[in-house]
Amino acid sequence: QVQLVESGGGLVQAGGSLRLSCSASGRTLNMYAMGWFRQAPGKEREFVSAIMWYGGITNYADSVKGRFTISRDNPKNTVYLQMNSLKPGDTAVYYCAASRDPTVVSGRQTLYDYWGQGTQVTVSS
């Protein structure tokens, strides 16, 4: 199976930027679709972004469209989430997920098979 580890979270000022990384061990990610999700305190986990196996097709939640960019570097076995113009409402634990179906660009959590442990992102006002 795939083990996913997120990194890059932290505390940033509103308007600032962070880049999250998701690295895999156990198997390469080249034939997996990848997604990012987040969960704020007291809220359900929600979809952020997804990317097809080769990176040709992406999908974003309306709340982050135009501010966040998902990308992947298959030779490095890593997926990224570049987050710009961060808002306090972006504060959450961010999770990386992988789907065995390499064509998935969906926000439906049930389509993802492997999940990372999460990394905390806190945006101050």
Side-chain angles (χ1 to χ4, degrees), residues 97-111:
S99 174
R100 296 189 191 100
D101 183 347
T103 67
V104 166
V105 286
S106 173
R108 294 181 177 179
Q109 297 182 43
T110 55
L111 296 178

Side-chain angles (χ1 to χ4, degrees), residues 37-116:
F37 297 79
R38 67 187 184 185
Q39 186 170 23
K43 301 291 185 179
E44 296 294 316
R45 188 159 58 188
E46 65 178 358
F47 170 71
V48 176
S49 186
I51 187 167
M52 194 173 283
W53 69 274
Y54 69 98
I57 300 176
T58 58
N59 190 18
Y60 296 92
D62 288 341
S63 60
V64 306
K65 194 173 298 181
R67 299 188 297 120
F68 291 10
T69 303
I70 189 171
S71 62
R72 66 191 302 164
D73 189 338
N74 286 341
K76 295 182 178 179
N77 216 27
T78 301
V79 179
Y80 304 97
L81 184 68
Q82 178 67 46
M83 305 185 296
N84 298 326
S85 301
L86 283 162
K87 306 174 181 179
D90 296 318
T91 295
V93 176
Y94 283 71
Y95 297 90
C96 176
S99 174
R100 296 189 191 100
D101 183 347
T103 67
V104 166
V105 286
S106 173
R108 294 181 177 179
Q109 297 182 43
T110 55
L111 296 178
Y112 294 85
D113 304 290
Y114 307 103
W115 295 81

Side-chain angles (χ1 to χ4, degrees), residues 9-33:
L11 174 64
V12 298
Q13 182 177 297
S17 298
L18 284 174
R19 188 179 72 161
L20 305 183
S21 298
C22 174
S23 297
S25 62
R27 295 183 181 179
T28 59
L29 296 177
N30 59 298
M31 292 302 295
Y32 293 83

